[in-house]
Amino acid sequence: MKSKIRLYYKLFLIVILFINGLIIAAGIFPILGFLNSAREANIKRDALKTRWLQWFSAIVNLHIIKDGELPEQGAILVSNHISWLDIIVIGQYLPACFVAKSDISSWPVIGYLARQAGTIFIRRGDKQHIRTTAEKMVWLLKQSSNIIAFPEGTTTKGDEVLQFHASLFQPALLTRSAIQPVALQYQGAAKEHAPFVGEDAFVPHLIKMLTLERIEVRLSFLPVINNSGKNRHAVSLETRDRIWEKISAGLPADNSDPQRLKSSQG
């Protein structure tokens, strides 16, 4: 009975949170743009976005073990991808724009909030759209904005790191921006339930997350990549290897890298 009451209470708070998000996105953001300079408006919007994610984190009871140093402004953070929760886990620590697959843009409420928050949507396989996305990323990095990207292009169960799409690294190389690997590892009950894979739908998965008493996750900000004189493929591989090295340290003894094996066999 207590667990049901807790679930209903969390659902109530989530509804209030999304209503609050719609008010911020549709009402407060335009007002900030009207009353402030572009730079001041962006700073205030970033503060509201970060606070909103912190509220979301508190409702789902995220317990985050953070290690490593946050980047300076104007960096691209590259993470392995397990769940929609990844956005809340990372985004609450620093203002940033996310790069997400275009499917999310059509999600009810979530899609609208993501668009208003400045999310960059990318259509995999569409070369023209990928070029447009790269141009947006270059512009943001030149404005000293942070970008958070998941270059696997999809989610996993957290026990592997897929090969990265190297094109997402080109904007950082063109602008000489810092590239920082980020490793996400869900722990405890969340290790099994947090992955948002296959045919999972957002609302049922959200409810499943709300039934958990707490969601434990380790968030590791790894050392910045030295990208001097390297092309996007070399930087992509090194970034992925750094993340895999961190994640594999917490896996069972037989933790050979399946993606490395595929590459060597190919």
Side-chain angles (χ1 to χ4, degrees):
M1 185 64 180
K2 286 183 178 180
S3 61
K4 283 189 176 181
I5 293 175
R6 184 173 65 242
L7 172 61
Y8 294 147
Y9 178 63
K10 286 183 177 180
L11 282 170
F12 171 74
L13 293 179
I14 287 290
V15 171
I16 297 299
L17 180 70
F18 279 109
I19 292 173
N20 175 270
L22 291 171
I23 293 172
I24 291 172
I28 297 179
F29 278 5
I31 292 173
L32 290 176
F34 180 75
L35 296 178
N36 300 273
S37 67
R39 183 175 179 277
E40 290 173 338
N42 283 334
I43 291 173
K44 292 179 179 180
R45 288 189 191 107
D46 283 341
L48 286 171
K49 289 189 290 185
T50 303
R51 180 62 60 86
W52 192 85
L53 291 172
Q54 290 170 346
W55 289 336
F56 206 139
S57 176
I59 293 172
V60 299
N61 203 11
L62 273 171
H63 285 251
I64 302 172
I65 304 169
K66 184 182 76 69
D67 56 67
E69 298 296 325
L70 294 174
E72 297 180 1
Q73 284 294 109
I76 179 167
L77 292 88
V78 177
S79 175
N80 60 309
H81 200 12
I82 300 170
S83 173
W84 55 266
L85 283 164
D86 303 346
I87 294 172
I88 302 169
V89 173
I90 305 173
Q92 66 181 285
Y93 283 100
L94 73 168
C97 294
F98 284 88
V99 179
K101 58 185 181 179
S102 58
D103 303 18
I104 294 175
S105 178
S106 61
W107 288 8
V109 183
I110 292 288
Y112 174 76
L113 293 177
R115 290 193 300 273
Q116 297 304 111
T119 300
I120 304 168
F121 295 104
I122 184 169
R123 289 199 295 268
R124 303 292 182 190
D126 186 333
K127 291 184 178 180
Q128 179 58 46
H129 194 264
I130 291 173
R131 281 195 292 270
T132 302
T133 300
E135 290 171 0
K136 291 179 181 177
M137 293 172 67
V138 165
W139 186 85
L140 286 168
L141 291 170
K142 285 182 176 180
Q143 306 303 311
S144 296
S145 297
N146 295 317
I147 296 175
I148 300 174
F150 304 102
E152 290 169 287
T154 187
T155 51
T156 72
K157 293 183 178 181
D159 55 357
E160 62 177 326
V161 181
L162 303 178
Q163 293 183 21
F164 284 174
H165 292 274
S167 59
L168 286 174
F169 292 84
Q170 190 65 27
L173 297 179
L174 290 173
T175 57
R176 298 183 179 180
S177 302
I179 299 173
Q180 182 165 26
V182 178
L184 283 169
Q185 299 166 280
Y186 290 90
Q187 301 174 334
K191 185 174 184 179
E192 177 183 352
H193 297 292
F196 184 68
V197 295
E199 300 300 318
D200 283 346
F202 174 72
V203 173
H205 192 269
L206 169 62
I207 293 173
K208 183 168 66 173
M209 292 297 96
L210 294 177
T211 60
L212 297 180
E213 188 172 341
R214 57 190 282 168
I215 299 173
E216 300 175 8
V217 58
R218 177 175 288 278
L219 172 63
S220 302
F221 292 95
L222 305 176
V224 170
I225 296 290
N226 177 8
N227 54 29
S228 178
K230 299 174 183 175
N231 62 31
R232 65 186 187 183
H233 297 287
V235 172
S236 170
L237 183 60
E238 183 178 351
T239 305
R240 181 200 166 274
D241 287 349
R242 290 262 192 98
I243 295 172
W244 169 250
E245 182 180 358
K246 181 67 177 181
I247 290 173
S248 62
L251 296 177
D254 182 18
N255 59 1
S256 55
D257 185 347
Q259 296 302 315
R260 277 289 192 181
L261 290 175
K262 284 182 183 179
S263 297
S264 62
Q265 290 169 0

